Amino acid sequence: MAKLLLAALLLTLAFSIIPMMIPFYAILLSTTPLGLMANKNLNEKYRAQIVEYSAMTPPWLEVMEKNGLIEKRIFKCTDSQIMSDNFDIKIRTAKDIIFKRETDSTLTLTLFYGGPNKTLTFDKKTGKIIDQKPDASELNRKYGGTWYNEDENLYVTFYFEEGFDYATVNGWTGDLDKKENIDAYKAFIKGSKLILPAENSDHHAPYCEIDVKNNILVYKCNQGLNFSDNYLNTKISITEYKRITK
């Protein structure tokens, strides 16, 4: 019993000290290289770094403006701000930070992962990230070709144009080269996904989201006659297509 009491006292003492150590832990990480996970000189004007100064929060990205020996943090970005639908894209796993371009009002960087990369454009005035749609070439690579659902004998293709916020979708039944019952509609770009809004002039159906996972095109749509919710609710139908041509 005495040993158990002593162990309980020691554990209580240790757990009571841990919260008091968090500020010292943060000071240690922020004033030494221990908190620096990545450091990249972008050019003669800017430096980017990935840091972790707290045990309570994940790493984040900082962009520093170099002024001789004095540096000023001008941008900060966390995982929740990078606006990615791909949960594998985390700031901590970035292999490189690449300077892309700078304008009078924006600064654009790319987080390089070796697969799908993430481009971030910062607004110099507000310090916030400007939501950018992938360019048409990236979207065409992802959704390009002809997709086929064997159960419904349905073919689907997507066409993107630079500067447009939607894709033109063509769907038909029949054969690959002999099209029957052709349907054309717009799918709006949201990040790297495509969205079919609920019941509008272009799409007389419930809300749907379209994405490509493991080279399979996946349609997720609200079930039934739900023409009001512009988000996926708990009752959804899933239709999958295989890419048969590129």
Side-chain angles (χ1 to χ4, degrees), residues 32 34 37-38 52 63 74-75 80 105 107 120 153 156 167 170 178 181 187 190 196 207 214 231 242:
T32 67
L34 294 175
M37 299 182 65
E52 184 178 21
V63 180
I74 55 174
F75 303 121
S80 62
S105 58
L107 178 69
L120 307 172
N153 189 31
V156 176
N170 290 315
K178 186 179 179 181
N181 303 317
K190 183 180 180 183
L196 301 178
Y207 173 86
N214 299 320
Y231 55 87
K242 293 183 179 179

Side-chain angles (χ1 to χ4, degrees), residues 192-203:
S192 61
K193 291 183 179 180
L194 299 177
I195 303 299
L196 301 178
E199 187 60 37
N200 63 18
S201 59
D202 294 300
H203 179 238

Side-chain angles (χ1 to χ4, degrees), residues 25-41 47-54 58-64 71 73 91-92 94 97:
Y25 182 73
I27 293 172
L28 176 66
L29 292 178
S30 61
T31 56
T32 67
L34 294 175
L36 189 63
M37 299 182 65
N39 182 28
K40 176 68 178 292
N41 277 314
R47 180 175 68 85
Q49 60 184 20
I50 297 174
V51 297
E52 184 178 21
Y53 295 156
S54 172
W60 60 88
L61 171 69
E62 294 181 341
V63 180
M64 315 297 290
E71 291 187 336
R73 187 180 73 185
I91 289 175
R92 72 171 69 215
I97 307 166

Side-chain angles (χ1 to χ4, degrees), residues 157 167-172 181-187 201-204:
T157 60
T168 300
V169 187
N170 290 315
W172 71 92
N181 303 317
I182 298 176
D183 190 17
Y185 50 91
K186 295 178 182 177
S201 59
D202 294 300
H203 179 238
H204 301 284

Side-chain angles (χ1 to χ4, degrees), residues 42-43 46 63-64 74-75 99-109 120-124 130:
L42 301 175
N43 54 27
Y46 298 111
V63 180
M64 315 297 290
I74 55 174
F75 303 121
F99 176 84
K100 194 168 184 181
R101 61 179 174 270
E102 180 182 13
T103 68
D104 292 338
S105 58
T106 63
L107 178 69
T108 301
L109 310 177
L120 307 172
T121 297
F122 294 91
D123 187 314
K124 291 182 178 180
I130 302 172

